[in-house]
Amino acid sequence: MYDQPRPNRCTSAMTFDQMLERVRYEGAYPTHERAGEAVHHVLAALGRQLTGDERVDLAQCLPVEAALILTAQIPDTEHLTGWGFVKDLATQSNTTPATARWDTGAVVTRLAGPDLLGPHPAPAPGGYALLFGQAELRRPEPAAA
């Protein structure tokens, strides 16, 4: 069979520099470089957790440079919980869990907003909702026959 296109694929309308500036401002980072570090670490951590359509959908929502960070990662065989994600990010970025949680919120929530967290696509695994500032992540509704 042929792959059917999925509706509402988002494409990034912002440049990588605009994305970094938005993360710097929204995350209250002191410098553009610090925001860049947060973006790199969070997207790399997500790249280690996401696979398949979820990974593709997220990459399409990001500027090319950010998508390359995400897709350059080899997905882990062990899928982490939200807390496990924070601990892994803290370890990989040599920060505290509180800083890792802040970085995740500053990067992911501010970048894609409803395009990332809305009904199409919903790339984050279950149990990650609080990392994205929501009580529960919405999943796509099945198409009516």
Side-chain angles (χ1 to χ4, degrees), residues 7-99:
N8 298 329
R9 289 185 175 187
C10 70
T11 55
S12 178
M14 76 173 64
T15 67
F16 188 65
D17 284 337
Q18 289 170 326
M19 181 185 82
L20 289 179
E21 181 54 29
R22 186 172 177 185
V23 169
R24 188 206 60 75
Y25 178 78
E26 295 289 341
Y29 294 110
T31 65
H32 194 75
E33 291 74 24
R34 176 62 186 99
E37 290 171 10
V39 166
H40 181 83
H41 290 299
V42 170
L43 290 178
L46 282 172
R48 291 188 298 274
Q49 288 300 304
L50 299 177
T51 59
D53 289 343
E54 295 173 339
R55 185 180 178 103
V56 171
D57 288 344
L58 178 56
Q60 287 179 332
C61 292
L62 299 171
V64 171
E65 299 89 338
L68 290 173
I69 295 168
L70 177 87
T71 58
Q73 307 305 309
I74 298 171
D76 287 340
T77 56
E78 177 187 354
H79 291 283
L80 302 173
T81 64
W83 175 238
F85 179 87
V86 168
K87 291 192 310 186
D88 178 63
L89 179 58
T91 300
Q92 296 295 326
S93 60
N94 198 29
T95 62
T96 66
T99 300

